[in-house]
Amino acid sequence: EVVAAAQSLARKPEIISLAPSLLSDVLRDIELVGEAAGKKLEAEALVSRLKNRIDRVREQASCSDHRPRVACIEWLDPIYSAGHWVPEMVELAGGIDELGKKGAPSEKMDWNRVIQAAPEVIVLMPCGFDIERILKEMHLLYRLLDWSDLPAVKSGNVFAVNGSAYFNRSGPRLVDGLEILAQIIHPEISWGKSADLSNVTKPAADADGTPVDPLNTGRVVPIYTEIEGLPSRTLRKILWDAFAKYRTTLTEDIPARFLDRHKLPKITDA
C-alpha cells in the first residue's frame, strides 16, 4: 500500500523498509537511513559510539558470576513476554531471559510459565505505557496466583520502566535501555557513568513483598478487630491471597446484559 501510494506522487520518493529484530539490525538500519539522508559519515560515527557503549556493558556485566533470571513483561493482561531485541539486551546486561526469544516477536504466555521461571528480577515495559500508567495497572498483576511468592517480588526487584522510550521501539535509545537494564540487573557493579534512572521506579510494596496498592489504595479497605500478633493488614493479605487463588472458580449469576447496562464489574473483578 505504501509503495502504491508513493507511485501516485508527482515526485517519487525512495522507500526504505525497516524490520529489525536484533540490536545489530537496528545499528544497520541507522547506517542505512543515514546514507539515504546524505548523512553517511554522521550515521557511521553514531553507530560506532553505540557499539562502544554496548561493548562496555557486555564487558562489565561479564565481571559478575551471577546471572539472575529476568522476566521482561511487555503487556499485563494477557501477559506477554518482550521479544525481538529485549532478550538480547538482557543477555548483554548479564541476565538470563527464560521467557522471551531473542529475535522473535513478543509472545503471549500462560501465567504458569512465569511461575515456573521463578524470575529474580521483573521489568515491566508495557508497549505505549509510561510509568504512571504502569503503576495504575499494577492491580492486574497483584491478583495473579502466587504473584507475591515470586522471588523478584519477595526481594523487591520489580521495576517499572518507560518501555516506549527505551525498549519497545527500534532506535539509538535502545542502548540507553540496555544501560538501564544493566544497572537494574547488576546494581552491585560499579558502572562508571550511570544511565538515567529517572524513568525507572519500583511499585510500592511492604518489606515482605506484599503490594501496597491493591490493599490500601483506590478501594474500600476492611478493618478487622486486631489480636496480638495478627494485625488487620495480615488478615487483609490472607483474604487477598485467597481471593486471588479462587476468583476464577466463581460463577457469574447476574445476566451479562444487566452488567453491561449498569456498567457493573464481573464478579471475578469485583
Side-chain angles (χ1 to χ4, degrees):
E1 292 181 1
V2 174
V3 173
Q7 293 301 319
S8 67
L9 300 176
R11 184 176 179 181
K12 303 297 187 287
E14 179 183 358
I15 297 174
I16 301 175
S17 180
L18 307 177
S21 296
L22 299 169
L23 286 180
S24 58
D25 299 333
V26 175
L27 298 179
R28 180 201 62 218
D29 286 350
I30 292 173
E31 293 182 330
L32 187 62
V33 172
E35 183 173 4
K39 298 290 183 179
K40 184 174 186 294
L41 294 179
E42 291 88 338
E44 289 176 347
L46 173 58
V47 168
S48 178
R49 294 194 298 271
L50 294 174
K51 284 182 176 178
N52 287 338
R53 290 167 62 188
I54 292 171
D55 290 340
R56 184 162 57 247
V57 169
R58 180 194 292 110
E59 291 170 5
Q60 290 185 267
S62 67
C63 295
S64 176
D65 294 330
H66 179 50
R67 299 183 68 83
R69 298 181 302 278
V70 182
C72 294
I73 307 300
E74 196 171 86
W75 199 248
L76 306 181
D77 187 18
I79 297 292
Y80 270 77
S81 62
H84 294 101
W85 43 77
V86 173
E88 178 186 13
M89 293 166 70
V90 171
E91 181 180 344
L92 288 167
I96 299 174
D97 188 342
E98 296 182 347
L99 300 175
K101 298 177 182 178
K102 185 165 61 174
S106 303
E107 182 181 2
K108 181 180 177 181
M109 292 186 302
D110 183 85
W111 177 243
N112 285 326
R113 280 190 59 195
V114 182
I115 295 176
Q116 292 167 5
E120 299 166 84
V121 178
I122 296 176
V123 185
L124 306 174
M125 50 180 72
C127 188
F129 282 21
D130 58 16
I131 290 178
E132 183 179 359
R133 176 67 187 278
I134 295 174
L135 297 180
K136 287 181 179 179
E137 302 295 335
M138 283 299 298
H139 65 92
L140 297 171
L141 299 176
Y142 293 151
R143 72 188 187 186
L144 292 171
L145 176 66
D146 293 335
W147 163 261
S148 59
D149 292 329
L150 293 175
V153 178
K154 286 185 173 182
S155 61
N157 285 321
V158 179
F159 300 87
V161 300
N162 190 326
S164 292
Y166 300 110
F167 297 97
N168 304 145
R169 298 183 292 185
S170 65
R173 285 198 293 179
L174 286 177
V175 179
D176 296 325
L178 172 62
E179 293 170 341
I180 289 171
L181 262 184
Q183 293 191 56
I184 286 175
I185 296 173
H186 286 292
E188 78 282 1
I189 294 179
S190 176
W191 292 99
K193 182 182 178 181
S194 298
D196 179 12
L197 298 183
S198 61
N199 282 291
V200 180
T201 192
K202 288 186 177 184
D206 283 349
D208 64 354
T210 304
V212 171
D213 287 14
L215 295 177
N216 293 320
T217 305
R219 65 192 68 205
V220 176
V221 178
I223 302 297
Y224 306 99
T225 302
E226 297 189 11
I227 60 175
E228 184 177 358
L230 192 61
S232 293
R233 180 161 185 80
T234 300
L235 290 171
R236 290 200 301 272
K237 182 180 184 303
I238 293 171
L239 291 174
W240 178 267
D241 289 344
F243 279 124
K245 184 173 183 179
Y246 295 107
R247 59 187 290 276
T248 57
T249 66
L250 300 175
T251 57
E252 184 65 75
D253 296 322
I254 301 176
R257 62 181 182 277
F258 186 89
L259 295 174
D260 293 338
R261 182 188 310 149
H262 297 280
K263 298 181 179 180
L264 297 174
K266 297 179 180 179
I267 189 170
T268 52
D269 295 329

